[in-house]
Structures are given as structure tokens and as C-alpha cells.
CSV table of all heavy atoms in Angstrom, one decimal:
chain,number,residue,atom,x,y,z
L,1,ASP,N,-12.4,-15.6,9.5
L,1,ASP,CA,-12.3,-15.3,8.0
L,1,ASP,C,-11.4,-14.1,7.9
L,1,ASP,O,-11.6,-13.2,7.1
L,1,ASP,CB,-13.6,-15.1,7.3
L,1,ASP,CG,-14.5,-16.3,7.4
L,1,ASP,OD1,-13.9,-17.4,7.1
L,1,ASP,OD2,-15.7,-16.2,7.6
L,2,VAL,N,-10.3,-14.0,8.7
L,2,VAL,CA,-9.3,-12.9,8.7
L,2,VAL,C,-8.5,-12.8,7.4
L,2,VAL,O,-8.0,-13.9,7.0
L,2,VAL,CB,-8.5,-12.9,10.0
L,2,VAL,CG1,-7.5,-11.8,9.9
L,2,VAL,CG2,-9.4,-12.8,11.2
L,3,HIS,N,-8.3,-11.6,6.9
L,3,HIS,CA,-7.5,-11.4,5.7
L,3,HIS,C,-6.7,-10.1,6.0
L,3,HIS,O,-7.1,-9.3,6.8
L,3,HIS,CB,-8.4,-11.1,4.4
L,3,HIS,CG,-9.0,-12.4,3.9
L,3,HIS,ND1,-9.9,-13.1,4.6
L,3,HIS,CD2,-8.8,-13.0,2.8
L,3,HIS,CE1,-10.3,-14.1,3.8
L,3,HIS,NE2,-9.6,-14.1,2.7
L,4,VAL,N,-5.6,-10.0,5.3
L,4,VAL,CA,-4.7,-8.8,5.4
L,4,VAL,C,-4.4,-8.4,3.9
L,4,VAL,O,-4.3,-9.2,3.1
L,4,VAL,CB,-3.4,-9.1,6.2
L,4,VAL,CG1,-2.6,-10.2,5.5
L,4,VAL,CG2,-2.6,-7.8,6.4
L,5,GLY,N,-4.3,-7.1,3.8
L,5,GLY,CA,-4.1,-6.5,2.6
L,5,GLY,C,-3.5,-5.1,2.7
L,5,GLY,O,-3.3,-4.7,3.8
L,6,THR,N,-3.2,-4.5,1.6
L,6,THR,CA,-2.8,-3.0,1.7
L,6,THR,C,-4.1,-2.2,1.6
L,6,THR,O,-5.1,-2.7,1.4
L,6,THR,CB,-1.9,-2.7,0.5
L,6,THR,OG1,-2.6,-3.1,-0.7
L,6,THR,CG2,-0.6,-3.5,0.6
L,7,GLN,N,-3.9,-1.0,1.8
L,7,GLN,CA,-5.1,-0.1,1.7
L,7,GLN,C,-4.8,1.0,0.5
L,7,GLN,O,-3.8,1.7,0.7
L,7,GLN,CB,-5.4,0.7,2.9
L,7,GLN,CG,-6.7,1.5,2.8
L,7,GLN,CD,-7.1,2.1,4.2
L,7,GLN,OE1,-7.0,1.4,5.2
L,7,GLN,NE2,-7.6,3.3,4.1
L,8,ARG,N,-5.5,0.9,-0.5
L,8,ARG,CA,-5.4,1.7,-1.6
L,8,ARG,C,-6.5,2.8,-1.6
L,8,ARG,O,-7.7,2.4,-1.8
L,8,ARG,CB,-5.4,1.0,-2.9
L,8,ARG,CG,-5.2,1.8,-4.2
L,8,ARG,CD,-5.1,1.0,-5.4
L,8,ARG,NE,-4.9,1.9,-6.5
L,8,ARG,CZ,-4.4,1.5,-7.6
L,8,ARG,NH1,-3.9,0.2,-7.8
L,8,ARG,NH2,-4.1,2.4,-8.6
L,9,GLY,N,-6.2,4.1,-1.3
L,9,GLY,CA,-7.2,5.0,-1.0
L,9,GLY,C,-7.9,4.6,0.2
L,9,GLY,O,-7.4,4.3,1.3
L,10,LYS,N,-9.3,4.4,0.2
L,10,LYS,CA,-10.1,4.0,1.3
L,10,LYS,C,-10.4,2.5,1.1
L,10,LYS,O,-11.2,2.0,2.1
L,10,LYS,CB,-11.4,4.8,1.3
L,10,LYS,CG,-11.1,6.3,1.7
L,10,LYS,CD,-12.4,7.0,1.7
L,10,LYS,CE,-12.1,8.5,2.1
L,10,LYS,NZ,-13.3,9.2,2.3
L,11,GLU,N,-10.0,1.8,0.1
L,11,GLU,CA,-10.4,0.4,0.0
L,11,GLU,C,-9.2,-0.5,0.2
L,11,GLU,O,-8.1,-0.3,-0.1
L,11,GLU,CB,-10.8,0.2,-1.6
L,11,GLU,CG,-12.0,1.1,-1.9
L,11,GLU,CD,-13.2,0.8,-1.1
L,11,GLU,OE1,-13.5,-0.4,-0.9
L,11,GLU,OE2,-13.9,1.8,-0.7
L,12,PRO,N,-9.6,-1.8,0.7
L,12,PRO,CA,-8.6,-2.8,0.8
L,12,PRO,C,-8.2,-3.3,-0.5
L,12,PRO,O,-8.9,-3.3,-1.5
L,12,PRO,CB,-9.4,-3.9,1.6
L,12,PRO,CG,-10.8,-3.6,1.2
L,12,PRO,CD,-11.0,-2.2,1.1
L,13,ASP,N,-6.9,-3.8,-0.6
L,13,ASP,CA,-6.3,-4.1,-1.9
L,13,ASP,C,-5.3,-5.3,-1.6
L,13,ASP,O,-4.8,-5.3,-0.6
L,13,ASP,CB,-5.5,-2.9,-2.5
L,13,ASP,CG,-5.0,-3.1,-3.9
L,13,ASP,OD1,-5.8,-3.8,-4.7
L,13,ASP,OD2,-3.9,-2.7,-4.2
L,14,GLN,N,-5.2,-6.2,-2.6
L,14,GLN,CA,-4.2,-7.3,-2.5
L,14,GLN,C,-4.5,-8.2,-1.3
L,14,GLN,O,-3.6,-8.6,-0.6
L,14,GLN,CB,-2.9,-6.8,-2.5
L,14,GLN,CG,-2.5,-5.9,-3.5
L,14,GLN,CD,-1.0,-5.4,-3.5
L,14,GLN,OE1,-0.1,-6.2,-3.7
L,14,GLN,NE2,-0.7,-4.2,-3.2
L,15,LEU,N,-5.8,-8.5,-1.0
L,15,LEU,CA,-6.2,-9.3,0.2
L,15,LEU,C,-5.6,-10.7,0.2
L,15,LEU,O,-5.7,-11.4,-0.9
L,15,LEU,CB,-7.7,-9.3,0.4
L,15,LEU,CG,-8.2,-8.0,0.8
L,15,LEU,CD1,-9.8,-8.0,0.7
L,15,LEU,CD2,-7.7,-7.4,2.1
L,16,VAL,N,-5.1,-11.2,1.3
L,16,VAL,CA,-4.5,-12.5,1.4
L,16,VAL,C,-5.2,-13.2,2.7
L,16,VAL,O,-5.1,-12.4,3.7
L,16,VAL,CB,-2.9,-12.4,1.6
L,16,VAL,CG1,-2.4,-13.8,1.9
L,16,VAL,CG2,-2.3,-11.8,0.3
L,17,PRO,N,-5.6,-14.4,2.7
L,17,PRO,CA,-6.1,-15.0,3.9
L,17,PRO,C,-5.0,-15.1,5.0
L,17,PRO,O,-3.8,-15.4,4.6
L,17,PRO,CB,-6.4,-16.4,3.4
L,17,PRO,CG,-6.6,-16.3,1.9
L,17,PRO,CD,-5.6,-15.2,1.5
L,18,ALA,N,-5.4,-14.9,6.2
L,18,ALA,CA,-4.4,-14.8,7.3
L,18,ALA,C,-3.9,-16.2,7.8
L,18,ALA,O,-3.1,-16.2,8.7
L,18,ALA,CB,-5.0,-14.0,8.5
L,19,ASP,N,-4.2,-17.3,7.0
L,19,ASP,CA,-3.6,-18.5,7.3
L,19,ASP,C,-2.6,-18.8,6.2
L,19,ASP,O,-2.2,-20.0,6.2
L,19,ASP,CB,-4.7,-19.6,7.5
L,19,ASP,CG,-5.6,-19.8,6.3
L,19,ASP,OD1,-5.5,-19.0,5.3
L,19,ASP,OD2,-6.4,-20.6,6.4
L,20,ALA,N,-2.3,-18.0,5.3
L,20,ALA,CA,-1.3,-18.2,4.2
L,20,ALA,C,0.0,-18.3,4.9
L,20,ALA,O,0.3,-17.8,5.9
L,20,ALA,CB,-1.4,-17.0,3.3
L,21,GLU,N,1.0,-19.0,4.1
L,21,GLU,CA,2.4,-19.2,4.6
L,21,GLU,C,3.0,-17.8,4.6
L,21,GLU,O,3.8,-17.4,5.5
L,21,GLU,CB,3.1,-20.1,3.7
L,21,GLU,CG,4.4,-20.4,4.2
L,21,GLU,CD,5.1,-21.5,3.3
L,21,GLU,OE1,4.4,-22.5,3.0
L,21,GLU,OE2,6.2,-21.4,3.1
L,22,GLU,N,2.8,-16.9,3.6
L,22,GLU,CA,3.2,-15.6,3.6
L,22,GLU,C,2.3,-14.7,2.7
L,22,GLU,O,1.5,-15.2,1.9
L,22,GLU,CB,4.7,-15.5,3.1
L,22,GLU,CG,4.9,-15.7,1.6
L,22,GLU,CD,6.3,-15.6,1.3
L,22,GLU,OE1,7.2,-15.5,2.1
L,22,GLU,OE2,6.6,-15.5,0.0
L,23,ALA,N,2.4,-13.4,2.9
L,23,ALA,CA,1.7,-12.4,2.1
L,23,ALA,C,2.6,-11.5,1.6
L,23,ALA,O,3.5,-10.9,2.2
L,23,ALA,CB,0.7,-11.7,3.1
L,24,VAL,N,2.6,-11.3,0.2
L,24,VAL,CA,3.5,-10.5,-0.5
L,24,VAL,C,2.7,-9.4,-1.1
L,24,VAL,O,1.8,-9.6,-1.9
L,24,VAL,CB,4.4,-11.2,-1.5
L,24,VAL,CG1,5.3,-10.2,-2.3
L,24,VAL,CG2,5.1,-12.3,-0.9
L,25,PHE,N,3.1,-8.1,-0.8
L,25,PHE,CA,2.4,-7.0,-1.3
L,25,PHE,C,3.4,-6.1,-2.0
L,25,PHE,O,4.4,-5.7,-1.6
L,25,PHE,CB,1.8,-6.1,-0.2
L,25,PHE,CG,0.9,-7.0,0.8
L,25,PHE,CD1,1.3,-7.3,2.0
L,25,PHE,CD2,-0.3,-7.4,0.3
L,25,PHE,CE1,0.5,-8.0,2.9
L,25,PHE,CE2,-1.1,-8.1,1.2
L,25,PHE,CZ,-0.7,-8.4,2.4
L,26,ASP,N,3.0,-5.7,-3.3
L,26,ASP,CA,3.8,-4.8,-4.1
L,26,ASP,C,2.9,-3.6,-4.4
L,26,ASP,O,1.8,-3.7,-4.8
L,26,ASP,CB,4.2,-5.5,-5.5
L,26,ASP,CG,5.1,-6.7,-5.4
L,26,ASP,OD1,6.1,-6.5,-4.7
L,26,ASP,OD2,4.8,-7.7,-5.9
L,27,LEU,N,3.6,-2.5,-4.1
L,27,LEU,CA,2.9,-1.2,-4.3
L,27,LEU,C,3.9,-0.1,-4.7
L,27,LEU,O,5.2,-0.4,-4.7
L,27,LEU,CB,2.2,-0.8,-3.0
L,27,LEU,CG,2.9,-0.8,-1.7
L,27,LEU,CD1,2.5,0.3,-0.9
L,27,LEU,CD2,2.5,-2.1,-1.0
L,28,THR,N,3.4,1.0,-5.1
L,28,THR,CA,4.3,2.1,-5.5
L,28,THR,C,4.0,3.4,-4.8
L,28,THR,O,2.9,3.6,-4.3
L,28,THR,CB,4.2,2.4,-7.1
L,28,THR,OG1,2.9,2.7,-7.4
L,28,THR,CG2,4.6,1.1,-7.8
L,29,ALA,N,4.9,4.3,-4.8
L,29,ALA,CA,4.7,5.6,-4.3
L,29,ALA,C,5.5,6.6,-5.2
L,29,ALA,O,6.6,6.3,-5.7
L,29,ALA,CB,5.3,5.8,-2.9
L,30,ASP,N,4.8,7.7,-5.6
L,30,ASP,CA,5.6,8.7,-6.4
L,30,ASP,C,6.5,9.4,-5.4
L,30,ASP,O,6.1,9.9,-4.3
L,30,ASP,CB,4.6,9.7,-7.0
L,30,ASP,CG,3.7,9.0,-8.0
L,30,ASP,OD1,4.2,8.1,-8.8
L,30,ASP,OD2,2.5,9.4,-8.0
L,31,ILE,N,7.7,9.6,-5.8
L,31,ILE,CA,8.7,10.5,-5.0
L,31,ILE,C,8.7,11.9,-5.6
L,31,ILE,O,9.0,12.1,-6.8
L,31,ILE,CB,10.1,9.9,-5.2
L,31,ILE,CG1,10.2,8.4,-4.8
L,31,ILE,CG2,11.1,10.8,-4.3
L,31,ILE,CD1,11.5,7.8,-5.1
L,32,VAL,N,8.3,12.8,-4.8
L,32,VAL,CA,8.2,14.2,-5.2
L,32,VAL,C,9.0,15.2,-4.2
L,32,VAL,O,9.2,14.8,-3.1
L,32,VAL,CB,6.7,14.7,-5.3
L,32,VAL,CG1,6.0,13.9,-6.3
L,32,VAL,CG2,6.1,14.6,-4.0
L,33,ALA,N,9.3,16.3,-4.7
L,33,ALA,CA,10.0,17.2,-3.8
L,33,ALA,C,8.9,18.1,-3.1
L,33,ALA,O,8.0,18.7,-3.8
L,33,ALA,CB,11.0,18.2,-4.6
L,34,ALA,N,9.0,18.3,-1.8
L,34,ALA,CA,8.1,19.1,-1.1
L,34,ALA,C,8.6,20.6,-1.3
L,34,ALA,O,9.6,20.8,-1.8
L,34,ALA,CB,8.2,18.7,0.4
L,35,PRO,N,7.6,21.5,-1.0
L,35,PRO,CA,8.0,22.9,-1.2
L,35,PRO,C,9.3,23.3,-0.5
L,35,PRO,O,10.0,24.2,-1.0
L,35,PRO,CB,6.8,23.7,-0.6
L,35,PRO,CG,5.7,22.7,-0.7
L,35,PRO,CD,6.3,21.4,-0.6
L,36,ASP,N,9.7,22.7,0.6
L,36,ASP,CA,10.9,23.1,1.3
L,36,ASP,C,12.1,22.3,0.8
L,36,ASP,O,13.1,22.4,1.3
L,36,ASP,CB,10.7,22.8,2.8
L,36,ASP,CG,10.5,21.3,3.1
L,36,ASP,OD1,10.5,20.5,2.3
L,36,ASP,OD2,10.3,21.1,4.4
L,37,GLY,N,11.9,21.5,-0.3
L,37,GLY,CA,13.0,20.8,-0.9
L,37,GLY,C,13.2,19.3,-0.3
L,37,GLY,O,14.1,18.6,-0.8
L,38,THR,N,12.5,18.9,0.7
L,38,THR,CA,12.7,17.6,1.3
L,38,THR,C,11.9,16.7,0.4
L,38,THR,O,11.1,17.0,-0.5
L,38,THR,CB,12.2,17.6,2.7
L,38,THR,OG1,10.8,17.9,2.7
L,38,THR,CG2,12.9,18.5,3.6
L,39,THR,N,12.2,15.3,0.6
L,39,THR,CA,11.5,14.3,-0.1
L,39,THR,C,10.1,14.1,0.4
L,39,THR,O,9.9,14.0,1.6
L,39,THR,CB,12.3,13.0,-0.1
L,39,THR,OG1,13.6,13.2,-0.7
L,39,THR,CG2,11.6,11.9,-0.9
L,40,ASP,N,9.1,13.9,-0.5
L,40,ASP,CA,7.7,13.6,-0.1
L,40,ASP,C,7.3,12.5,-1.0
L,40,ASP,O,7.9,12.1,-2.0
L,40,ASP,CB,6.9,14.9,-0.2
L,40,ASP,CG,5.5,14.7,0.5
L,40,ASP,OD1,5.4,13.8,1.3
L,40,ASP,OD2,4.7,15.6,0.3
L,41,PHE,N,6.1,11.9,-0.6
L,41,PHE,CA,5.6,10.8,-1.3
L,41,PHE,C,4.1,11.1,-1.6
L,41,PHE,O,3.4,11.6,-0.8
L,41,PHE,CB,5.7,9.4,-0.4
L,41,PHE,CG,7.1,9.2,0.0
L,41,PHE,CD1,7.7,9.6,1.2
L,41,PHE,CD2,8.0,8.5,-1.0
L,41,PHE,CE1,9.0,9.4,1.5
L,41,PHE,CE2,9.3,8.2,-0.6
L,41,PHE,CZ,9.8,8.7,0.6
L,42,ARG,N,3.7,10.5,-2.7
L,42,ARG,CA,2.2,10.6,-3.1
L,42,ARG,C,1.9,9.3,-3.7
L,42,ARG,O,2.7,8.6,-4.3
L,42,ARG,CB,2.0,11.8,-4.1
L,42,ARG,CG,2.3,13.1,-3.6
L,42,ARG,CD,1.1,13.7,-3.1
L,42,ARG,NE,1.2,15.2,-2.7
L,42,ARG,CZ,2.0,16.0,-2.4
L,42,ARG,NH1,3.3,15.6,-2.4
L,42,ARG,NH2,1.9,17.2,-1.9
L,43,GLY,N,0.5,9.1,-3.9
L,43,GLY,CA,0.1,7.9,-4.7
L,43,GLY,C,-1.1,7.3,-3.9
L,43,GLY,O,-1.5,7.6,-2.8
L,44,PRO,N,-1.7,6.4,-4.6
L,44,PRO,CA,-3.0,5.7,-4.0
L,44,PRO,C,-2.8,5.0,-2.7
L,44,PRO,O,-3.8,4.7,-2.0
L,44,PRO,CB,-3.5,4.8,-5.2
L,44,PRO,CG,-2.3,4.7,-6.1
L,44,PRO,CD,-1.4,5.9,-5.9
L,45,TRP,N,-1.6,4.5,-2.5
L,45,TRP,CA,-1.3,3.7,-1.3
L,45,TRP,C,-0.7,4.6,-0.2
L,45,TRP,O,-0.5,4.1,0.9
L,45,TRP,CB,-0.3,2.6,-1.5
L,45,TRP,CG,-0.9,1.4,-2.3
L,45,TRP,CD1,-1.7,0.4,-1.9
L,45,TRP,CD2,-0.7,1.2,-3.7
L,45,TRP,NE1,-2.1,-0.5,-2.8
L,45,TRP,CE2,-1.5,0.0,-4.0
L,45,TRP,CE3,-0.1,1.8,-4.7
L,45,TRP,CZ2,-1.6,-0.5,-5.3
L,45,TRP,CZ3,-0.1,1.3,-6.0
L,45,TRP,CH2,-0.9,0.1,-6.3
L,46,VAL,N,-0.4,5.8,-0.5
L,46,VAL,CA,0.2,6.8,0.5
L,46,VAL,C,-0.9,7.4,1.3
L,46,VAL,O,-1.8,8.1,0.8
L,46,VAL,CB,1.1,7.7,-0.2
L,46,VAL,CG1,1.8,8.7,0.7
L,46,VAL,CG2,2.2,7.0,-1.0
């Protein structure tokens, strides 16, 4: 009964059975500037 999904925080999200033809996952990340000026990412999937 294998499934694959993303992990949002500590929980599985967008679960798809592992016998599907394909699994499509859409998620977001906030783009933020780190203190040193480099790009960093934040958000529930990060």
C-alpha cells in the first residue's frame, strides 16, 4: 500500500498511490534574503 507525497511540516501531503502513472506535486516556498544577502527559502514545505 505504498504512497508518495510531499512533506508539509511534519505531515505527509498530496499523497499519491505508488502505482499511479505519474505523481504531480505543486508546492511553494517563500524567497527571502538571508542576513548575509544571499537567497534563502522558507515555508511549510521547506
Side-chain angles (χ1 to χ4, degrees):
D1 299 314
V2 175
H3 286 66
V4 62
T6 57
Q7 185 171 322
R8 184 176 180 154
K10 294 182 180 185
E11 299 299 319
D13 188 41
Q14 306 182 67
L15 292 173
V16 175
D19 60 355
E21 187 171 318
E22 70 177 15
V24 178
F25 305 110
D26 291 309
L27 49 142
T28 60
D30 295 322
I31 305 167
V32 297
D36 64 1
T38 60
T39 299
D40 196 10
F41 303 94
R42 296 265 184 344
W45 288 278
V46 178

